[in-house]
Amino acid sequence: MKKLLLPAAGALFALASFQLLSPAPAPRAVTSYQSDPNTTDEVPQDNKLVIYQMMTRLFGNKVATNKPYGTITENGVGKFNDINSVALQAIKKLGATHVWYTGVIEHATMTDYTKFGIALDDADVVKGRAGSPYAIKDYYDVDPDLAVNVKARMLEFEGLVKRTHANGLKVIIDFIPNHVARTYKSDAKPAGVVDLGEKDDKTKAFAVNNNFYYLPGQPLVVPAGNNPLGAQKGPKEDGKFAENPAKVTGNDVFSATPKVDDWFETIKLNYGVDYQHGRAKHFAPIPDTWLKMRDILVYWAKKDVDGFRCDMAEMVPVEFWAWVIPELKKVKPELVFIGEAYDAKTYKMYIEQGHFDYLYDKVGLYDGLRRLMRGEGNTEDITRVWREESRGFSSHMLRFLENHDEQRIASPDFAGDPKAAIPAMVVSATLGSGPVMLYFGQEVGEPANGAEGFSGNDGRSSIFDYWGVPNHQQWMNGGKFDGGKLDGGQKQLRDFYSRLLNLAGSSEAIRRGKFYELQDANNLGKDYDQRQVYTFLRYTDKQKLLIVANFSKDKTMRPTLRIPPQAFTAMGLDPNRVYAYQDLLNGMPATDNLTMTLTPQSAYIFEIQERH
């Protein structure tokens, strides 16, 4: 295991000090979005969501074998019951308010559960030994991998929901609306439910009440080379999967011959859009797929889940969301809907028309911070993000640095160093009032080494295969969930995340405050590298915060920070007074007249206080 080589606490989280000067130098030219181009309002949040995402099958797995393409017996798997109250209390103390249990709903897999009455999936259309959690096999059931007693698997999930709530956390699960597994067939559906595709007219490429799209007269040809097991073929890994007529592939491939890098293991659901005839919309009367998917969401809402992370939300017409989300909030008004979205031009539409509570901020803040963390970008990316999102949806954006789709920060494919997350995570957690998310293992510098199986050695923790997550297992410590096997650097890193997330979730200014950027005020300051340092204010009547992040990997800077008089006035403070600055993140003593020292890859959250 690669040790985390971090400096001592005093070096890593060194005190930043500064002397306030005014007036500020003239700002560079900027596009004016408001009367003051440096500031924007935030929509106040009573409670800022702090989401802890876990890949459920990986979280509780204590087996460290990690054989590529290993079976469930060889590599092990985590269970619902592994996520006990001790684990949940540790997640709660980390600062989380919600747990996103990824991969709960039953999906296609190579593991044989036929003795429990579950049909065997054809391995030719399964990715990895465990299978993708986004190739849903039965919307009304949970993954049997996750149960100690497979026959009681739903009871075990319901127990996890109750246990999560009892420990002061809320539950988010995935809803995958765009596609299902090629082998979809519900054996757990409630009485009276008609299965997806059961009444489809397969002679028609498109019919408004068909649940799937078809390619009449064309049998499916599974792409060559899709089977990763090679010589380890089992009885059904024979390249003879039969589907005739072929159904359209999940990533909108209207061809009977999808490629290996397509979502060939899935089939596209039909929401009433005729893609092959000008994308004509047929939404009245309400299409059958809409009704079926509403009923599925209601089913899970009645299991007492608190929210849904909606996979590839933009691949489903916004009109469906505009209808279904209000329908669900009639059942449970406090439900939270989070949409996975990547087209920034449609964000406002999916929030205002589609009624999503939150959307991924991947192509905005995540991509910009990733470039900064890799030494390839500059802080202009952050400026661009808040200016673009100041048009009314900043508080609706979910910020993160890792999730199941993205590479681990500590992997050589990303930053190669978990310390790179320190300034970036502070910006992610504090730039806006919307949610922030942490992916399990991120807080202990998991590098995702090794080729697990289908996805190869790509810097990600596999979603396709059975695997143990080494750094996370060190924190898990055989089920004690106490960090007993972490080294000093890992403990220090996790402590940073805990302090940050607890502060982000409790701070009045971060949850409810306005925003004021200080880049223009400091761009001419001595030793202030505006490309690598980012400084801003978050403030309400009750609390004023000054936040500083140094993204440089190797440069210590000693700038004299400037807060212009108009910024003090915006905060309701007298610019002629001297204030004390208390570092809430790093616990350093308050000061009012110091020279700033910014160590590499560091961040600071100062509360501006009246002098006593």
Side-chain angles (χ1 to χ4, degrees), residues 13 48 365 369 373 382 399-401 419-432 436 442 496-497 499-501 503-504 510 515 534-536 538 545-551 583 585-586 601-606:
F13 304 118
K48 183 181 179 78
L365 191 62
L369 291 176
M373 295 162 73
I382 307 173
R399 270 66 189 255
F400 57 86
L401 295 181
K419 299 193 302 298
I422 291 169
M425 196 68 189
V426 168
V427 171
S428 293
T430 63
L431 192 70
V436 62
Q442 177 183 340
F496 156 74
Y497 278 102
R499 287 183 280 111
L500 172 63
L501 296 179
L503 178 58
I510 295 171
F515 170 92
Y534 192 74
T535 307
F536 60 99
R538 293 293 309 280
L545 297 181
L546 168 67
I547 301 167
V548 188
N550 178 13
F551 289 89
D583 186 356
L585 179 62
N586 305 309
Q601 296 177 327
S602 62
Y604 314 86
I605 301 176
F606 296 99

Side-chain angles (χ1 to χ4, degrees), residues 66-82:
N66 285 356
K67 173 184 174 182
Y69 305 126
T71 66
I72 191 171
T73 302
E74 293 168 326
N75 281 356
V77 69
K79 306 290 185 181
F80 291 132
N81 290 357
D82 291 323

Side-chain angles (χ1 to χ4, degrees), residues 306-423:
D306 302 291
F308 298 95
R309 178 270 189 187
C310 301
D311 186 70
M312 300 306 298
E314 292 172 319
M315 296 185 76
V316 173
V318 69
E319 291 87 350
F320 167 72
W321 300 114
W323 172 78
V324 81
I325 291 177
E327 286 285 297
L328 264 292
K329 292 199 175 184
K330 292 176 187 175
V331 176
K332 190 173 182 179
E334 65 273 21
L335 277 172
V336 172
F337 282 83
I338 301 169
E340 180 187 15
Y342 299 103
D343 183 0
K345 295 188 294 295
T346 66
Y347 285 174
K348 196 167 186 178
M349 177 179 71
Y350 275 85
I351 292 164
E352 294 182 353
Q353 183 183 340
H355 302 297
F356 273 99
D357 296 291
Y358 306 106
L359 298 177
Y360 269 36
D361 197 357
K362 196 275 180 189
V363 299
L365 191 62
Y366 170 87
D367 283 351
L369 291 176
R370 178 184 169 95
R371 287 189 287 270
L372 267 167
M373 295 162 73
R374 288 169 57 86
E376 299 167 351
N378 64 72
T379 61
E380 283 291 319
D381 279 327
I382 307 173
T383 299
R384 176 183 52 79
V385 165
W386 76 255
R387 284 184 180 158
E388 290 176 353
E389 294 178 1
S390 68
R391 299 165 187 169
F393 54 87
S394 175
S395 59
H396 294 278
M397 303 310 294
L398 167 66
R399 270 66 189 255
F400 57 86
L401 295 181
E402 286 188 2
N403 63 40
H404 66 282
D405 284 323
E406 306 301 338
Q407 292 168 327
R408 294 285 193 174
I409 295 161
S411 77
D413 304 272
F414 191 159
D417 181 356
K419 299 193 302 298
I422 291 169

Side-chain angles (χ1 to χ4, degrees), residues 81-236:
N81 290 357
D82 291 323
I83 309 164
N84 57 28
S85 289
V86 177
L88 291 166
Q89 276 300 303
I91 293 170
K92 174 78 172 174
K93 289 176 182 176
L94 192 62
T97 60
H98 292 64
V99 183
W100 168 14
Y101 293 113
T102 305
V104 163
I105 300 177
E106 185 180 2
H107 57 268
T109 179
M110 291 190 192
T111 300
D112 187 348
Y113 287 103
T114 53
K115 67 181 180 181
F116 299 103
I118 300 172
L120 186 66
D121 297 302
D122 193 310
D124 292 316
V125 285
V126 178
K127 290 180 177 177
R129 279 286 195 183
S132 168
Y134 296 97
I136 297 301
K137 177 180 179 177
D138 187 345
Y139 275 121
Y140 288 101
D141 208 349
V142 296
D143 180 7
D145 280 349
L146 303 176
V148 175
N149 180 351
V150 174
K151 290 183 178 179
R153 57 192 180 276
M154 187 60 77
L155 289 175
E156 290 188 23
F157 170 70
E158 292 168 352
L160 174 63
V161 173
K162 291 177 182 177
R163 198 158 58 247
T164 305
H165 289 158
N167 283 281
L169 295 160
K170 294 188 176 182
V171 174
I172 295 171
I173 66 170
D174 289 286
F175 173 54
I176 298 89
N178 177 67
H179 49 270
V180 295
R182 292 271 178 197
T183 51
Y184 185 90
K185 180 174 173 45
S186 176
D187 52 25
K189 61 184 183 294
V193 172
V194 177
D195 214 359
L196 285 167
E198 188 175 327
K199 294 188 176 181
D200 279 8
D201 182 351
K202 298 180 182 180
T203 67
K204 295 181 179 178
F206 169 83
V208 67
N209 285 317
N210 275 0
N211 299 133
F212 303 125
Y213 297 95
Y214 296 90
L215 300 167
Q218 302 179 61
L220 177 72
V221 179
V222 176
N226 70 288
N227 189 332
L229 299 181
Q232 303 177 45
K233 285 188 176 182
K236 296 207 72 176

Side-chain angles (χ1 to χ4, degrees), residues 58 61 66 408 440-441 446 461 467-474:
L58 301 182
N61 184 21
N66 285 356
R408 294 285 193 174
F440 86 110
E446 171 58 37
S461 294
W467 201 254
V469 182
N471 286 28
H472 170 72
Q473 288 177 328
Q474 291 166 3

